[in-house]
Amino acid sequence: MKPGIESSQENADRHVGLQTLITSGLLLVALVGLFTLSSQVTVFDFGDSGPDSRFFPRLVLSLLALMAGLRLWRHRHAVETALGSTRDWSRTLFAVVLIGVAIAAMNLVGFLASAAVVGILISWLLGERRLLLSVVLPLVVAALVTLSARQLLNLPLP
């Protein structure tokens, strides 16, 4: 067989797997974030000539887009296993929708409440039934993130 020409069996074995879908999703989210950054992040000017409040989000989103693009390019010919069962994907889709609803409701109920509720519901969705890990841990993490953002970083959270 000539180099560069694949057999029909090799093409039949090639699937778009979970890694490619996740990486493509990350690339899409990073690019959308970069294009909407100026309308989403308010610039706080303290008179400094240093980086503004958009610098670090722009840096992180740029690095995420670069890494996702490089990963997609590097593994473009890799053979991946097929996607998982419908049950697993339905749980994943429910978790994504839950996070989207929490983000949409964050201005109404606040960051602490929405982060804690999402953490609790996702831990139950993923099968954690111990009270300490499914309820207490998401509450503690949400409280620590809220406290750190407001007190240490001076970020105005909803």
Side-chain angles (χ1 to χ4, degrees):
M1 185 178 300
K2 294 180 181 177
I5 299 177
E6 298 173 346
S7 70
S8 60
Q9 180 61 33
E10 288 175 358
N11 282 333
D13 289 341
R14 184 165 293 150
H15 300 283
V16 174
L18 186 60
Q19 296 87 0
T20 300
L21 285 177
I22 290 173
T23 307
S24 300
L26 286 173
L27 178 61
L28 179 67
V29 166
L31 291 175
V32 168
L34 280 171
F35 288 120
T36 61
L37 186 65
S38 36
S39 65
Q40 297 294 324
V41 178
T42 306
V43 174
F44 298 106
D45 185 16
F46 299 113
D48 296 335
S49 61
D52 61 6
S53 60
R54 293 183 187 144
F55 175 76
F56 290 109
R58 184 177 293 123
L59 177 68
V60 169
L61 289 170
S62 299
L63 288 174
L64 181 62
L66 178 67
M67 291 295 112
L70 287 174
R71 196 254 178 231
L72 285 172
W73 178 258
R74 184 168 182 252
H75 295 283
R76 68 188 180 278
H77 296 298
V79 177
E80 297 180 20
T81 57
L83 299 175
S85 69
T86 306
R87 179 176 171 253
D88 294 336
W89 279 102
S90 62
R91 290 191 314 174
T92 304
L93 181 63
F94 183 71
V96 169
V97 168
L98 184 64
I99 291 170
V101 168
I103 290 171
M106 197 174 291
N107 285 330
L108 182 65
V109 298
F111 177 82
L112 178 63
S114 62
V117 168
V118 165
I120 292 168
L121 291 176
I122 288 180
S123 68
W124 277 82
L125 178 70
L126 296 176
E128 182 59 55
R129 297 297 182 252
R130 292 175 284 185
L131 189 63
L132 183 64
L133 294 177
S134 64
V135 176
V136 176
L137 183 63
L139 287 171
V140 169
V141 169
L144 285 175
V145 168
T146 303
L147 194 79
S148 298
R150 288 184 178 159
Q151 301 301 321
L152 298 176
L153 300 174
N154 294 326
L155 293 175
L157 294 177

